[in-house]
């Protein structure tokens, strides 16, 4: 097993450099973040100067920075993507996360490549192909079970790191296999601009028009939480534990990173065959609690096999934690009785409740005043008039989805990450030498020319030396051991000792940086290994000629264009998912198997989804246990795309992408 595959990597998200820095401070071994463009989050890009600043901070701890260059690209975008790849490489970034295979056909820097979740890695064959094509790290589909993960990990060549999502929002579709947003709005999920149709309320009807579910969020999943499965995931071969959330705020990243840092540290203490992927230990000034952040409830999805209760069908919003109930309703205020053990209500908190139709409602609190000495009953004045707050009455059960006291904790300094070092202070003919050796074995020395003056109070002088060397508050280090090799305690002014300590710390940081090795790029196998299939549909997301050339070089004979190329104009699978609406609504034929009077009467016939004017068909492929959401692209989307192409031609910057046939004309074309 290589060093990297012994290491457990906590991989945290960052919307910007400041959040990335705090992810590192809260124990992340690596951070993934968008660069100036082409990341799969349209509004989460970052300038090169900020990337450089984040890289410098991360590398002090041996942590890594990965850039998301994981959208599918048009031909006219490849050159800009190539330049960006070189910019982030020169800024010191450690790896690129990509999904577009066209990037492997251009002049990329010698930077390590990681296969994005949009690569839809569900099989041993796909994972092995990507490893053979030059990828060093692969993130497996969230839908895999432990045995499936283990099968992939066991089949990969030595040194390949298996990455898996352990926390955060779940896309209901296999990543990279959702086109609903593009078909309905022209916003492509594979280009970082998903409209999140999966979070809408849908009415489900059967083939006879009967309503199966009325305005339920049947495509909205609960949030992923693998806290209880980390040891099992390690045993299955996972080495990089990924937190979702490049749109998330600072508080979320601090809290969730701290939560998983503590869990992984516990595992590392128990497993001597494993090692951390970066340096230092992190202590926290708060108690991490993943339930306090925005979440839709939690599920471990398919890791332990198919579960029925994986959906957030009632609401895609954050209901919050249990709070109490309405004890009395006044003209302009409520009296709220808190549950036992609940902390005080605060001005600015937000409360939620479910109305009689089970829709989540909520309102911020203007003021909250205690009414009793026990702090259990509060007079609450909501931000909105009570008459506008539906079904908020005596006895209504309340939750709290914003806790200002918790938010204030996370706005302040909330962690301390330190690398252990040992000091050795010794004499030289002209003064003193201070050697620092850190927990990774790096060593550096600083010297001080100073006369050897005997201390008038030897015991106090020795204590002062130890105390002075232990003062590492503004550095990234902590003193683990302090050894004094002196013939006798010498007098040394505090200012001189401080200068010697600062010089030794600076020398140690320089030594650490000089000894840091960049992650190596894996060379692809030659001659190119065949792709597992010889035919690719639009589901392969081939959007540029270079990507087409890549697959052709790997033996694929028929290569359709990406859905965004607008060649699949009829009914098509706009989403493929392991989630099954029939199963979640207890209408699956397999659930009826063996049930007297029911077996054989339940069939996996199509269902229909409707939200306003939007109508989609659900079809069920029971052999692989998958659901297809079927629909077609809107004509106005095609018209808008063709208009954009004509405008680009007039402006001298034509839009170019992979097509297998001439552009079709619409009524406006």
């Amino acid at each position: 097993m290589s060093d990297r595959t012994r290491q457990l990597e906590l991989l945290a998200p960052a919307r910007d450099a400041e959040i990335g820095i705090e992810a590192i401070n809260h124990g992340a071994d690596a951070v993934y973040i968008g660069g100036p463009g082409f990341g799969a989050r349209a509004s989460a890009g970052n300038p090169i100067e900020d990337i450089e600043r984040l890289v410098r901070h991360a590398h002090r701890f041996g942590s890594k920075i990965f850039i998301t260059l994981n959208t599918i690209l048009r031909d006219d975008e490849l050159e800009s993507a190539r330049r960006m790849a070189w910019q982030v490489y020169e800024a010191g970034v450690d790896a690129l996360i990509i999904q577009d295979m066209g990037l492997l056909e251009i002049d990329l820097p010698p930077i390590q490549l990681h296969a994005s979740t949009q690569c839809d890695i569900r099989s041993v064959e796909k994972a092995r192909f990507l490893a053979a094509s030059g990828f060093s790290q692969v993130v497996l589909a969230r839908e895999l079970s432990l045995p499936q993960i283990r099968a992939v990990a066991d089949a990969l060549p030595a040194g390949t790191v298996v990455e898996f999502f352990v926390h955060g929002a779940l896309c209901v579709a296999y990543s990279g296999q959702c086109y609903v947003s593009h078909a309905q709005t022209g916003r492509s999920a594979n280009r970082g601009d998903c409209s999140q149709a999966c979070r809408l309320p849908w009415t489900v009807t059967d083939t006879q028009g009967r309503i199966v579910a009325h305005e339920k969020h049947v495509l909205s999943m609960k949030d992923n939480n693998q806290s209880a499965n980390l040891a099992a995931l390690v045993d299955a071969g996972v080495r990089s534990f990924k937190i979702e959330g490049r749109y998330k705020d600072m508080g979320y990243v601090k809290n969730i990173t701290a939560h998983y840092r503590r869990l992984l540290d516990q595992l590392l203490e128990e497993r001597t065959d494993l090692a951390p992927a970066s340096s230092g230990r992190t202590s926290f000034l708060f108690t991490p609690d993943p339930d306090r952040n925005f979440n839709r409830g939690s599920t471990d999805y398919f890791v332990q096999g198919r579960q029925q209760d994986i959906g957030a069908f009632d609401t895609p919003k954050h209901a919050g934690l249990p709070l109490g109930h309405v004890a009395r309703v006044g003209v302009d205020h409520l009296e709220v009785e808190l549950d036992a053990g609940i902390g005080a209500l605060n001005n600015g908190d937000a409360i939620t409740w479910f109305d009689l139709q089970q829709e989540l409602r909520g309102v911020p609190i203007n003021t909250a005043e205690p009414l009793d000495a026990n702090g259990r009953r509060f007079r609450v004045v909501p931000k909105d008039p009570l008459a506008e707050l539906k079904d908020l009455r005596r006895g209504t059960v309340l939750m709290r989805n914003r806790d200002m006291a918790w938010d204030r904790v996370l706005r302040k300094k909330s962690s301390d990450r330190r690398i252990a070092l040992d000091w050795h202070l010794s004499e030289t003919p002209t003064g003193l030498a201070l050697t620092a050796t850190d927990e990774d074995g790096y060593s550096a020395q600083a010297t001080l020319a100073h006369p050897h003056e005997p201390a008038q109070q030897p015991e106090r002088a020795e204590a002062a030396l130890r105390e002075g060397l232990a003062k590492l508050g503004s550095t990234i280090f902590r003193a683990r051991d302090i050894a004094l090799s002196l013939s006798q305690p010498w007098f040394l002014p505090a200012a001189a000792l401080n200068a010697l300590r600062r010089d030794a710390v600076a020398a140690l940081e320089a030594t650490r940086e000089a000894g840091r090795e960049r992650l190596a790029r894996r060379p692809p196998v030659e001659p190119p290994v065949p792709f597992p299939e010889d035919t690719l549909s639009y589901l392969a997301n081939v959007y540029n000629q270079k990507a087409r050339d890549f697959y052709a070089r790997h033996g694929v004979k028929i290569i359709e264009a990406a859905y965004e190329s607008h060649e699949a104009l009829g009914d098509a699978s706009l989403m493929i998912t392991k989630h099954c609406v029939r199963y979640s609504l207890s209408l699956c034929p397999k659930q009826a198997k063996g049930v007297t009077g029911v077996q054989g009467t339940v069939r996996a016939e199509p269902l229909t989804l409707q939200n306003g004017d939007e109508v989609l068909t659900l079809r069920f492929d029971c052999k692989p246990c998958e659901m297809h959401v079927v629909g077609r692209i809107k004509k106005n989307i095609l018209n808008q795309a063709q208009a954009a192409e004509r405008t680009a031609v007039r402006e001298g910057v034509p839009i170019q992408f992979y097509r297998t046939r001439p552009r079709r004309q619409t009524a406006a074309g």
Side-chain angles (χ1 to χ4, degrees), residues 78-79 81-82 101-109 521 546:
L78 285 172
E79 175 56 23
R82 185 195 69 81
M101 297 300 128
L103 291 167
L104 275 67
E105 299 290 301
I106 65 175
D107 175 34
L108 287 181
R521 171 85 167 271
K546 292 291 187 183

Side-chain angles (χ1 to χ4, degrees), residues 31 74 90 99 206 230 270 291 313 327 367-368 531 579 632 645 656 659:
V31 165
R74 302 191 307 257
E90 289 161 0
Q99 78 152 313
D206 65 13
L230 294 186
E270 298 164 4
D291 290 336
F313 292 174
T367 60
F531 189 72
H579 163 56
R632 60 176 57 197
E645 287 185 58
Q656 299 172 315
R659 294 183 170 103

Side-chain angles (χ1 to χ4, degrees), residues 204 206 211-213 308 580-592 601-605 607 620:
V204 186
D206 65 13
I211 293 178
V212 177
Q308 184 149 356
C580 177
V581 168
R582 280 193 171 277
Y583 187 89
S584 292
L585 298 177
S586 299
L587 297 172
C588 171
K590 294 180 180 178
Q591 290 169 312
T601 65
V602 178
R603 295 180 175 83
E605 295 174 336
L607 297 174
F620 303 92

Side-chain angles (χ1 to χ4, degrees), residues 17-226:
E18 296 305 325
I19 294 176
I21 287 169
E22 286 305 319
I24 298 298
N25 292 344
H26 286 71
D29 300 302
V31 165
Y32 64 105
I33 186 171
F38 307 114
R41 293 291 183 273
S43 58
N46 292 278
I48 291 296
E49 310 84 70
D50 284 358
I51 298 296
E52 287 178 330
R53 183 160 54 91
L54 174 58
V55 165
R56 285 195 299 271
H57 185 72
H59 285 173
R60 297 175 78 192
F61 294 97
S63 294
K64 310 290 193 298
I65 301 300
F66 306 152
I67 290 292
T68 55
L69 206 170
N70 57 339
T71 58
I72 57 172
L73 304 165
R74 302 191 307 257
D75 292 87
D76 59 283
E77 295 171 326
L78 285 172
E79 175 56 23
S80 295
R82 185 195 69 81
R83 289 198 300 268
M84 193 197 91
W86 277 96
Q87 284 179 312
V88 298
Y89 173 75
E90 289 161 0
V93 162
D94 299 283
L96 296 178
I97 303 172
I98 68 174
Q99 78 152 313
D100 193 322
M101 297 300 128
L103 291 167
L104 275 67
E105 299 290 301
I106 65 175
D107 175 34
L108 287 181
I111 191 171
Q112 190 168 98
L113 300 180
H114 296 180
S116 169
T117 183
Q118 283 86 2
C119 290
D120 184 32
I121 307 168
R122 286 180 268 156
S123 69
V124 167
E125 294 78 15
K126 182 80 166 285
R128 292 185 67 175
F129 170 78
L130 290 168
S133 299
F135 289 90
S136 301
Q137 188 156 318
V138 294
V139 57
L140 303 188
R142 297 170 174 93
E143 293 79 5
L144 297 191
S145 65
L146 286 169
Q148 290 172 319
I149 294 168
R150 187 177 297 110
V152 173
D154 288 347
L156 289 172
T160 310
V161 175
V162 173
E163 179 183 320
F164 193 73
F165 278 96
V166 293
H167 202 92
L170 285 167
C171 292
V172 61
Y174 292 123
S175 290
Q177 305 290 278
C178 187
Y179 312 94
V180 175
S181 176
H182 187 76
Q184 293 183 346
T185 68
R187 294 166 53 184
S188 167
N190 279 313
R191 287 175 58 76
D193 197 20
C194 180
S195 61
Q196 294 194 319
C198 56
R199 301 298 183 187
L200 296 174
W202 297 89
T203 293
V204 186
T205 54
D206 65 13
T207 53
Q208 299 178 51
R210 295 173 298 193
I211 293 178
V212 177
H214 179 67
E215 293 191 357
K216 289 292 184 180
H217 304 266
V218 294
L219 298 179
S220 179
M221 298 293 95
K222 292 181 177 178
D223 286 0
N224 187 19
N225 186 330
Q226 301 294 337

Side-chain angles (χ1 to χ4, degrees), residues 306-318:
R306 184 176 288 279
Q307 313 289 328
Q308 184 149 356
D309 190 23
I310 62 175
F313 292 174
D314 288 332
T315 178
K317 300 174 183 177
H318 176 39

Side-chain angles (χ1 to χ4, degrees), residues 438-554:
D438 69 22
E439 63 186 44
D440 299 315
Y442 289 106
S443 187
Q445 188 180 81
T447 58
L448 175 70
H450 195 274
H452 293 151
E453 299 179 30
Q456 293 181 357
Q457 297 177 295
E459 289 185 4
R460 286 190 60 184
E462 181 174 334
L465 290 174
R466 293 184 181 278
E467 289 172 10
L469 292 175
K471 290 179 180 178
L472 290 165
S474 62
T475 74
I476 62 170
F477 300 103
R478 65 175 176 86
R480 181 172 56 186
D481 183 66
I482 300 173
L484 305 180
S485 297
L486 306 175
S487 57
Q488 65 180 61
W490 301 111
F491 168 71
L492 189 63
L497 180 60
N498 291 342
L500 181 61
R501 185 192 65 233
R502 285 194 298 269
D503 289 348
V505 166
L508 181 60
E509 286 221 50
T511 299
R512 288 179 60 84
E513 176 59 21
R516 184 180 57 82
E517 296 181 1
R518 288 193 90 139
L519 298 179
R521 171 85 167 271
R522 167 177 277 170
V525 172
E526 294 293 346
V529 299
F531 189 72
E533 304 168 42
D534 64 3
T535 301
L536 292 177
S537 72
Y538 66 92
L539 298 172
N541 300 321
V542 178
Y543 199 35
N544 58 71
Q545 186 67 35
K546 292 291 187 183
R548 181 263 168 209
D549 294 346
F550 171 87
Y551 286 112
R553 197 161 54 81
H554 289 272

Side-chain angles (χ1 to χ4, degrees), residues 321-330 332-340 342-346 349-353 363-383 386 389 392-401:
L321 294 174
L323 179 68
H325 66 274
V326 178
R328 179 178 171 274
V329 179
D332 62 352
H333 70 278
L334 305 168
E335 289 186 15
V336 174
E337 181 107 9
L338 302 185
D339 292 341
I342 300 297
L345 273 171
N346 314 285
D349 284 0
I351 57 173
T352 62
W353 67 97
V363 67
I365 293 172
N366 272 349
T367 60
E369 301 173 6
L371 293 175
D372 61 7
N374 298 323
R376 291 283 305 282
R377 198 174 179 106
F378 280 77
R379 183 182 190 275
V380 171
V381 178
K383 180 176 178 291
L386 279 176
L389 303 178
L392 191 57
R393 59 189 68 185
R394 186 173 180 272
T396 300
V397 174
L398 299 175
M399 290 80 69
R400 174 166 53 186
N401 69 353

